[in-house]
């Protein structure tokens, strides 16, 4: 096999759903998902599509949810989703999605505040965060934070929703995003009824003023 002629960079941020990794040789591992098989060189980081490569033996690493590949130990944010180190295979680092609701709500709040910032760099960073799948990711995460987060996560989520509601008339969000924002007052009112923490109640009340 002319490996070098076929190799492709599979490390440019790409999400893999429930990948499993199998040792193919000392330097090679096979990444397998329901949609693809990729043979990766753990020394160079390059890979090739290997649709017909046979799986031999047990997996050396599995990720139950979404994963990202990179070189080195680089946990971080991809859009509005947080990823942490799950395992290492030579120069390859496998990152798995993390659902720390305190971190998630804080990050979304910061990006939502950027939307309404007069600084051009912050403004662009905020709009980039909520473009594409960003608003859909934010909607899912903020619902989770309100329903299952601790006091801090719920408070940050409410303030993030306040910033998003404040920005909704700028015409920056897609149809799906606007549909979510129209449902936000009902969502917040439902949480307000059962909210016991005074600071979270205050945050929800401030968000509701933006409806």
């Amino acid at each position: 096999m002319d490996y070098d002629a076929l190799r492709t960079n599979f490390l440019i941020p790409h999400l893999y759903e429930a990948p499993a990794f199998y040792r193919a040789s000392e330097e090679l591992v096979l990444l397998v998902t329901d949609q693809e098989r990729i043979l990766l060189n753990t020394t160079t980081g390059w890979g090739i599509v290997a649709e017909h490569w046979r799986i031999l033996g047990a997996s050396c690493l599995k990720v139950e949810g979404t994963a990202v590949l990179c070189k080195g130990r680089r946990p971080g944010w991809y859009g509005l989703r947080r990823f942490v180190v799950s395992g290492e295979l030579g120069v390859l680092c496998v990152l798995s999605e993390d659902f720390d609701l305190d971190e998630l709500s804080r990050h979304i709040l910061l990006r939502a505040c950027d939307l309404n910032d007069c600084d051009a760099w912050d403004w662009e960073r905020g709009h980039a965060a909520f473009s594409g799948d960003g608003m859909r990711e934010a909607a899912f995460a903020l619902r989770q934070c309100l329903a299952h987060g601790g006091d801090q996560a719920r408070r940050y989520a409410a303030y993030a929703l306040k910033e998003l509601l404040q920005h909704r008339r700028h015409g920056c969000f897609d149809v799906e995003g606007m549909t979510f924002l129209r449902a936000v007052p009902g969502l917040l009112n439902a949480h307000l009824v059962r909210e016991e923490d005074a600071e979270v109640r205050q945050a929800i009340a401030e968000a509701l003023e933006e409806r």
Side-chain angles (χ1 to χ4, degrees):
M1 177 188 295
D2 187 354
Y3 185 87
D4 286 337
L6 298 172
R7 69 180 190 170
T8 307
N9 185 1
F10 288 93
L11 305 185
I12 295 171
H14 179 79
L15 303 180
Y16 298 94
E17 295 302 325
F21 298 84
Y22 299 84
R23 281 285 175 192
S25 73
E26 185 176 340
E27 289 188 340
L28 302 177
V29 294
L30 183 68
L31 181 160
V32 178
T33 71
D34 287 342
Q35 289 78 36
E36 57 205 332
R37 291 190 182 189
I38 302 166
L39 193 63
L40 296 161
N41 188 307
T42 60
T43 300
T44 65
W46 291 88
I48 60 171
V49 173
E51 295 176 356
H52 304 295
W53 196 279
R54 291 177 58 198
I55 297 174
L56 298 174
S59 63
C60 58
L61 177 63
K62 282 186 176 181
V63 176
E64 295 299 327
T66 305
V68 172
L69 284 180
C70 65
K71 277 189 176 181
R73 297 175 61 86
R74 291 188 296 183
W77 297 90
Y78 292 83
L80 294 174
R81 301 167 75 175
R82 183 171 183 258
F83 289 81
V84 296
V85 175
S86 181
E88 294 180 78
L89 299 166
V91 299
L92 299 175
C93 187
V94 182
L95 307 180
S96 58
E97 190 166 9
D98 178 63
F99 294 97
D100 182 321
L101 296 184
D102 284 347
E103 289 288 339
L104 196 56
S105 59
R106 177 180 179 275
H107 183 73
I108 294 173
L109 172 57
L110 290 174
R111 297 293 76 80
C113 287
D114 286 340
L115 288 171
N116 299 309
D117 199 303
C118 59
D119 180 272
W121 191 87
D122 288 342
W123 188 92
E124 289 187 8
R125 181 173 61 178
H127 284 75
F130 293 97
S131 64
D133 290 334
M135 181 59 88
R136 179 180 57 80
E137 293 172 358
F140 172 80
L142 293 172
R143 285 192 178 101
Q144 294 299 307
C145 290
L146 286 173
H148 307 293
D151 293 349
Q152 178 173 279
R154 300 197 309 279
R155 185 171 72 254
Y156 285 167
Y159 280 129
L161 289 169
K162 173 186 176 182
E163 295 291 334
L164 292 172
L165 287 170
Q166 190 177 99
H167 199 77
R168 72 190 185 281
R169 296 186 182 89
H170 290 232
C172 301
F173 303 131
D174 61 17
V175 173
E176 187 177 354
M178 292 302 295
T179 299
F180 166 66
L181 291 178
R182 283 194 291 271
V184 164
L187 177 69
L188 290 174
N189 275 315
H191 282 284
L192 186 61
V193 170
R194 58 179 180 270
E195 182 57 60
E196 297 180 354
D197 183 86
E199 292 185 354
V200 178
R201 289 181 63 85
Q202 176 63 31
I204 291 175
E206 290 183 28
L208 286 170
E209 291 177 359
E210 299 292 338
R211 60 182 166 181

